[in-house]
């Protein structure tokens, strides 16, 4: 089996356990609210009369999953939406991943997947997929059978894995298990109503269900919800945290609350801090839709410059970012975003995007806004320069594709063709998030990673110059 691509997931998970109600509609609503976290595939597992039933589909929840739901029912279940990079995608790699006892779904990425996989294969295990979810499910099952204890199974599994994972598991005994890796890279929150408990990647999925947010699942803990209530186990005592800054910058929905921080407030502050750092005045501030709207509001409020929707996004075009070929990404940008002449012609404009990864978006936008007659174009990124790959679940996997890993800021400015270019400072980012710096994962901005295996891979990758577009977590580097 070819082992490329599809193990890498940034996803959304949702699970609910209810005393009275059928939960299928609730999972559907939860997944709809998490659709931005993944559009490649969607899946749902429920338990009825001691039997697990699972449906997995390609594409969108509303279009492809909805027609499959009518035969499902139950009081407990989980759902998943998946964003995977290109590669050997098959529906078998979609989640929930199941065996006879568990339905398993997670969001994140096991950084040492290749070495764990190799070891399991050497032990004679036959793997059906090239997804990290399968090895997690297999390990969890093995250790549960040995110990009869979910927390012990989690502890044993986690001791072999390095990376970020927010997990939900449905058991054939009717339990709903939620757990987060010891450093808490990816979000996972808990909600409650009178008769039910839910877990979700983001609080927005609770809102859509009228479920009250209780708080975040503590990293290093495992929760078991059933009709009898909830039990909590601490399986790892690490106190360090490594919350992904990119959840705030780009990935999460702006109306979610993560680690007690409103994503809206964070993005607003990102705009304010850009204005404080650069203070560039212009005739108008324009966000690149949709993620940068709030930051543009913040920039505008701080400088007194009006904000306007000068770039209009075609809402039916998704996923230009993960198209494999640069040519396709460039062409797709023209269809995806169109400048409003009445807003930009004859003006000095300041454009804010959440991040610059390859520079495709910024270059195309500067070009189209200039062609539409703007006098001057300033470009701002709410995220500091991304100089290093992500191993923990965000789709920035190789040095070669990161423009800021190859060029200095002046050269990037030349390349995208703007009159000025301003990136957020690291301090500006940390201040906007409002969590202590040591509780954040800033690996893609600093090259300093919170886990040792990843740090070693990175150093080996750097030494092997010319590594180009090898996806970091796929590099066959002995460490
Ligand atoms: P670039 O065009 O520089 O490669 O990417 C920057 C743009 O892609 C920004 O507009 C940002 O909103 C978006 N972006 C950043 N990270 C991701 C990601 O992981 N997935 C997707 N789909 N878009 C992203
Ligand atoms: Mg964008």
């Amino acid at each position: 089996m070819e082992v490329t691509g599809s193990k890498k997931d940034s996803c959304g998970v949702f699970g609910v356990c209810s005393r009275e109600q059928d939960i299928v509609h609730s999972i559907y609503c939860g997944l709809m609210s998490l659709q931005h976290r993944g559009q490649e595939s969607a899946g749902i597992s429920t338990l009825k009369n001691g039997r697990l039933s699972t449906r997995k589909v390609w594409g969108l929840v509303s279009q492809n999953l909805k027609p499959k739901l009518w035969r499902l029912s139950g009081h407990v279940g989980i759902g998943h939406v998946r964003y995977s990079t290109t590669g050997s995608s098959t529906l078998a790699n979609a989640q929930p991943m199941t065996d006879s006892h568990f339905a398993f779904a997670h969001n994140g990425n096991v950084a040492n997947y290749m070495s764990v996989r190799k070891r399991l294969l050497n032990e004679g295990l036959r793997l059906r997929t090239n997804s990290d979810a399968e090895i997690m499910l297999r390990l969890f099952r093995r250790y549960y059978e040995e110990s009869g204890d979910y927390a012990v199974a989690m502890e044993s599994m986690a001791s072999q894995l390095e990376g970020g994972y927010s997990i939900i598991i449905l058991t054939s005994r009717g339990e709903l298990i939620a757990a987060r890796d010891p450093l808490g890279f990816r979000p996972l929150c808990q909600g409650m109503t009178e008769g039910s408990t839910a877990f979700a990647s983001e609080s927005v999925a609770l809102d859509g269900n009228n479920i009250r947010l209780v708080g975040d699942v503590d990293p290093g803990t495992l929760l078991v919800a059933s009709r009898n209530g909830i039990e909590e186990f601490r399986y790892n005592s690490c106190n360090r945290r490594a919350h992904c800054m990119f959840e705030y910058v780009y990935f999460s929905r702006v109306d979610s609350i993560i680690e007690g921080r409103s994503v809206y407030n964070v993005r607003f502050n990102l705009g304010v801090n850009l204005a404080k750092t650069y203070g560039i005045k212009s005739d108008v501030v324009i966000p690149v839709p949709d993620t940068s709207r709030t930051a543009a509001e913040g920039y505008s409020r701080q400088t007194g410059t009006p904000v306007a929707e000068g770039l209009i996004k075609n809402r039916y075009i998704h996923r230009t970012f993960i198209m494999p070929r640069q040519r396709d990404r460039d062409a797709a940008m023209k269809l995806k975003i169109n400048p409003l002449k009445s807003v930009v012609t004859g003006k000095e404009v300041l454009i804010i995007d959440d991040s610059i990864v390859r520079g495709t978006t910024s270059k195309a936008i500067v070009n189209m806004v200039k062609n539409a007659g703007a006098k001057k174009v300033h470009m701002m990124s709410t995220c500091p320069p991304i100089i290093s790959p992500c191993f923990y679940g965000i789709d920035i996997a190789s040095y070669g594709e990161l423009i800021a890993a190859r060029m200095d800021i002046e050269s990037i400015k030349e390349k995208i063709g703007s009159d000025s270019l301003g990136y957020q400072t690291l301090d500006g980012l940390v201040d906007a998030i409002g969590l202590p710096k040591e509780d954040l994962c800033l690996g893609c901005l600093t090259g300093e990673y919170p886990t040792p295996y990843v740090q070693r891979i990175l150093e080996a990758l750097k030494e092997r110059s010319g590594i180009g577009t090898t996806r970091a977590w796929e590099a066959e580097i002995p460490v």
Side-chain angles (χ1 to χ4, degrees):
M1 189 185 344
E2 193 202 6
V3 187
T4 52
S6 58
K7 74 170 259 297
K8 172 88 171 36
D9 302 291
S10 297
C11 310
V13 295
F14 185 83
V16 60
C17 174
S18 170
R19 247 178 293 156
E20 298 101 30
Q21 278 178 355
D22 188 272
I23 45 67
V24 174
H25 186 69
S26 176
I27 295 176
Y28 172 74
C29 292
L31 294 183
M32 282 294 288
S33 303
L34 296 174
Q35 186 77 81
H36 61 285
R37 297 186 70 86
Q39 301 95 41
E40 185 189 76
S41 65
I44 177 168
S45 296
T46 62
L47 181 79
K48 181 123 193 241
N49 303 328
R51 283 201 43 188
L52 296 169
S53 318
T54 297
R55 299 285 183 279
K56 298 195 247 191
V57 297
W58 291 114
L60 299 179
V61 175
S62 61
Q63 282 169 12
N64 300 353
L65 190 62
K66 197 177 181 194
K68 304 270 184 187
L69 296 181
W70 63 276
R71 286 174 65 157
L72 292 176
S73 65
H75 292 277
V76 56
I78 64 173
H80 187 260
V81 286
R82 180 163 195 248
Y83 169 150
S84 95
T85 54
T86 53
S88 56
S89 296
T90 72
L91 214 46
N93 277 335
Q95 299 181 41
M97 200 66 71
T98 53
D99 65 16
S100 51
H101 282 297
F102 299 122
F104 179 103
H106 92 114
N107 166 216
N109 188 47
V110 173
N112 63 340
Y113 168 77
M114 290 296 256
S115 67
V116 178
R117 178 188 168 88
K118 264 196 196 132
R119 207 191 64 229
L120 292 179
L121 290 174
N122 283 342
E123 287 172 14
L125 214 69
R126 296 248 286 270
L127 294 170
R128 283 176 294 139
T129 72
N130 54 21
S131 158
D132 56 1
E134 185 183 15
I135 62 167
M136 294 169 99
L137 169 60
R138 295 292 201 95
L139 290 173
F140 188 81
R141 171 77 184 255
R142 176 193 288 181
Y143 297 124
Y144 178 67
E145 281 182 349
E146 281 172 21
S147 65
D149 185 319
Y150 295 134
V152 171
M154 185 69 200
E155 184 185 3
S156 306
M157 180 183 83
S159 70
Q160 299 178 39
L161 305 179
E162 183 173 311
Y165 41 88
S166 285
I167 295 172
I168 49 168
I169 305 169
L170 168 64
T171 77
S172 60
R173 287 164 37 176
E175 295 135 326
L176 174 65
I177 299 175
R180 226 170 144 200
D181 69 80
L183 298 177
F185 286 96
R186 307 257 72 85
L188 187 66
C189 65
Q190 182 187 353
M192 277 181 120
T193 61
E194 191 69 16
S196 63
T197 300
F199 299 101
S201 287
E202 289 180 42
S203 60
V204 71
L206 304 176
D207 296 342
N209 270 303
N210 277 322
I211 297 173
R212 183 174 54 85
L213 173 66
V214 175
D216 300 281
V217 173
D218 219 2
T221 64
L222 174 134
L223 292 147
V224 182
S226 69
R227 285 175 133 174
N228 307 323
I230 290 204
E231 285 183 293
E232 183 169 340
F233 305 91
R234 195 145 186 86
Y235 72 86
N236 185 294
S237 56
C238 164
N239 284 325
R240 151 110 235 240
R241 300 285 176 258
H243 304 308
C244 169
M245 64 86 201
F246 211 58
E247 289 283 347
Y248 294 99
V249 166
Y250 168 81
F251 213 68
S252 293
R253 233 170 78 164
V254 71
D255 44 344
S256 280
I257 294 172
I258 296 178
E259 303 304 324
R261 306 277 145 188
S262 142
V263 177
Y264 176 86
N265 287 347
V266 172
R267 290 189 187 161
F268 191 93
N269 293 338
L270 286 169
V272 168
N273 288 350
L274 274 176
K276 284 183 180 165
T277 305
Y278 296 99
I280 295 177
K281 299 264 187 175
S282 58
D283 296 322
V284 62
V285 175
I286 298 174
V288 178
D290 295 305
T291 28
S292 318
R293 288 210 171 100
T294 314
E297 242 178 273
Y299 195 101
S300 161
R301 195 83 60 87
Q302 182 65 24
T303 54
T305 314
V307 62
E309 296 275 349
L311 294 166
I312 304 304
K313 178 172 167 178
N314 181 334
R315 67 174 60 178
Y316 302 100
I317 297 183
H318 309 285
R319 309 179 80 218
T320 46
F321 185 86
I322 67 167
M323 288 178 170
R325 291 188 308 183
Q326 188 64 34
R327 210 168 358 123
D328 296 335
R329 287 195 291 268
D330 288 340
M333 274 303 300
K334 292 215 175 74
L335 269 180
K336 185 167 166 179
I337 291 188
N338 196 27
L340 259 180
K341 283 203 166 130
S342 58
V343 174
V344 305
T345 306
K347 303 270 178 52
E348 179 168 348
V349 305
L350 186 140
I351 296 172
I352 300 192
D353 203 351
D354 59 274
S355 58
I356 299 172
V357 182
R358 303 179 187 96
T360 310
T361 307
S362 309
K363 184 165 188 259
I365 283 174
V366 170
N367 191 29
M368 64 178 79
V369 170
K370 287 216 156 163
N371 282 341
K375 259 196 331 216
K376 254 185 167 182
V377 182
H378 305 284
M379 192 75 207
M380 297 259 153
S381 165
T382 75
C383 185
I386 299 175
I387 56 159
S388 225
C390 176
F391 298 79
Y392 308 114
I394 296 289
D395 184 14
I396 39 179
S398 75
Y399 283 110
E401 66 192 341
L402 299 174
I403 194 167
R406 295 183 278 114
M407 293 184 188
D408 61 19
I409 294 180
E410 188 57 31
S411 317
I412 299 173
K413 190 199 86 177
E414 296 294 318
K415 172 115 189 190
I416 66 176
S418 58
D419 294 280
S420 75
L421 170 63
Y423 278 98
Q424 188 79 249
T425 63
L426 214 53
D427 287 346
L429 171 75
V430 174
D431 172 82
I433 296 173
L435 294 171
K437 191 173 183 181
E438 44 306 344
D439 286 353
L440 294 170
C441 177
L442 304 169
C444 61
L445 309 177
T446 61
E448 283 161 30
Y449 293 86
T451 62
Y453 178 88
V454 165
Q455 191 68 46
R456 285 203 302 276
I457 285 218
L458 176 99
E459 277 153 21
L461 261 175
K462 257 196 188 152
E463 267 169 36
R464 238 170 56 175
S465 60
I467 193 76
T469 52
T470 303
R471 300 203 155 245
W473 33 265
E474 287 172 0
E476 294 273 356
I477 290 180
V479 283

